[in-house]
Amino acid sequence: MPAYKFASYEITHIPLLRYVAKFKKPIIFSCGAAQIKEISEALEVFKEEKNNKIALLHCIAEYGAPVSRLNLSVISALKTAFPDIVIGYSDHSADPIIAPRAAVVLGAKVIEKHITLDKNMPGPDHFFALEPKELSLMVKTIRDTEKEVKKGLKIKIPSELLGESQRKTYQNEIGPRLFAYRCVFAVKNIKKGQKFNKYNMRILRPGNQPRGLEPKYYELLINGYKATKDLQKYQSINWEHVLSK
C-alpha cells in the first residue's frame, strides 16, 4: 500500500497505530468523537516510530451530519495545535460542495468524502454519500476554491458551518463513540489466575456490549498479568479483572 488510512474509531488503537507507523509510509487518520489528548497520544506514537508523514482530518462522527454541527473551526484549531502535520477534513454532510469548499478556505489540504453509485442502496452510508456526478462537482469546486485562495480572494464562510473550535466529544458523537471506539475483550473463556495473552484477548468494537479497557493497555496485559476472576468469551476486560503480576 502506498499509504494507510485510519478511521476515527482506530485513533485510540495504539498497538495498531504503532504497527503501521513502522512501515514509514504516509498515514491519514480522522478524529471524529476524539478528544485532543487522544490525538496527541496517537501523534506521539508516530513520532516515536519516526514517521512524520501524517495527515490529520477533522471529522464529526455523525452520519449524515447537518451543516450546523460540523464545527469547521476545529480545522483552524488543529492547524495551530499541530503545525508540523497536514490538516484536512473528512465530511459526513450530504451536500457535495458547502462544507468541502469552506474546509479548503480554512486550510484543509485533504478532503475525504463517502461515495456511492446509488444513494438508495442498502447500508448505513449510502444515503449521505456522493454519487459520481456530485463527486465530480465537489472536485471541481475544490480546485476552483484553491485557485481563489491562491489569488488571495476573500471568501466568506457561513457562520453556521464554523461552530465550536474545541476538539472534544460532542453530544451527537457520544453514541458512535461508545459503539465503535475499540477496547479490550476476551475472545476465549479465561479462568481465574490464567495469564492474558494474544490468543485469549482482542481489541474490538464493543457495539452494545459494556466497554472494556482502552487498547493502549493491551500490551501491558500480555506482559504477565492474570485474571482475578473467570471471564466469558467476548466479555469486556476491565481493571477489576486484572491481577498484578
Side-chain angles (χ1 to χ4, degrees), residues 118-219:
D118 185 346
K119 293 179 185 288
N120 296 312
M121 292 172 67
D125 296 0
H126 294 284
F127 77 96
F128 69 88
L130 301 186
E131 293 179 346
K133 288 184 179 180
E134 293 176 306
L135 176 63
S136 179
L137 175 61
M138 184 191 78
V139 173
K140 182 180 185 305
T141 299
I142 288 172
R143 296 297 176 233
D144 290 344
T145 303
E146 289 172 334
K147 291 175 183 176
E148 293 177 45
V149 170
K150 191 173 183 179
K151 290 178 181 177
L153 300 179
K154 189 171 183 180
I155 305 171
K156 183 174 176 57
I157 300 173
S159 58
E160 68 170 341
L161 272 69
L162 295 174
E164 297 185 48
S165 61
Q166 184 181 357
R167 181 56 267 183
K168 62 181 182 179
T169 304
Y170 294 101
Q171 186 67 32
N172 51 313
E173 297 180 308
I174 292 175
R177 180 185 173 102
L178 291 175
F179 187 90
Y181 263 57
R182 296 176 186 269
C183 46
V184 182
F185 279 83
V187 291
K188 292 183 178 180
N189 293 337
I190 301 175
K191 296 291 186 182
K192 179 179 177 180
Q194 184 179 347
K195 286 186 177 182
F196 295 107
N197 58 56
K198 63 182 180 179
Y199 303 106
N200 60 24
M201 291 191 307
R202 290 287 187 278
I203 297 171
L204 303 172
R205 290 188 178 192
N208 295 318
Q209 298 258 58
R211 292 190 58 79
L213 292 173
E214 294 296 314
K216 62 184 177 183
Y217 297 115
Y218 174 85
E219 292 174 340

Side-chain angles (χ1 to χ4, degrees), residues 212-229:
L213 292 173
E214 294 296 314
K216 62 184 177 183
Y217 297 115
Y218 174 85
E219 292 174 340
L220 176 69
L221 293 181
I222 63 176
N223 190 29
Y225 281 79
K226 302 175 183 179
T228 59
K229 57 183 71 175

Side-chain angles (χ1 to χ4, degrees), residues 31 38-39 58 68 73 133 140 170 176 206-207 210 238:
C31 59
E38 292 167 334
I39 299 173
H58 166 53
S68 60
S73 290
K133 288 184 179 180
K140 182 180 185 305
Y170 294 101
N238 286 290

Side-chain angles (χ1 to χ4, degrees), residues 98-115:
I98 294 176
R101 174 173 167 81
V104 171
V105 174
L106 291 168
K109 302 300 182 186
V110 178
I111 301 292
E112 180 185 55
K113 195 83 166 174
H114 290 232
I115 62 171

Side-chain angles (χ1 to χ4, degrees), residues 14-94:
I14 299 301
L16 178 62
L17 300 185
R18 188 177 303 281
Y19 177 80
V20 174
K22 293 178 185 293
F23 291 107
K24 303 294 191 294
K25 292 185 177 181
I27 292 173
I28 303 169
F29 73 105
S30 301
C31 59
Q35 300 171 29
I36 196 73
K37 66 178 181 180
E38 292 167 334
I39 299 173
S40 296
E41 286 180 356
L43 290 173
E44 185 61 29
V45 170
F46 302 143
K47 182 179 179 181
E48 290 171 0
E49 299 302 330
K50 296 180 172 54
N51 187 334
N52 60 359
K53 304 170 184 177
I54 307 300
L56 168 64
L57 311 188
H58 166 53
C59 175
I60 295 296
E62 185 176 4
Y63 313 87
V67 295
S68 60
R69 294 204 287 263
L70 297 181
N71 296 313
L72 294 187
S73 290
V74 174
I75 293 173
S76 300
L78 294 177
K79 288 174 61 182
T80 300
F82 308 111
D84 297 329
I85 64 174
V86 174
I87 302 298
Y89 175 56
S90 178
D91 184 33
H92 293 148
S93 68

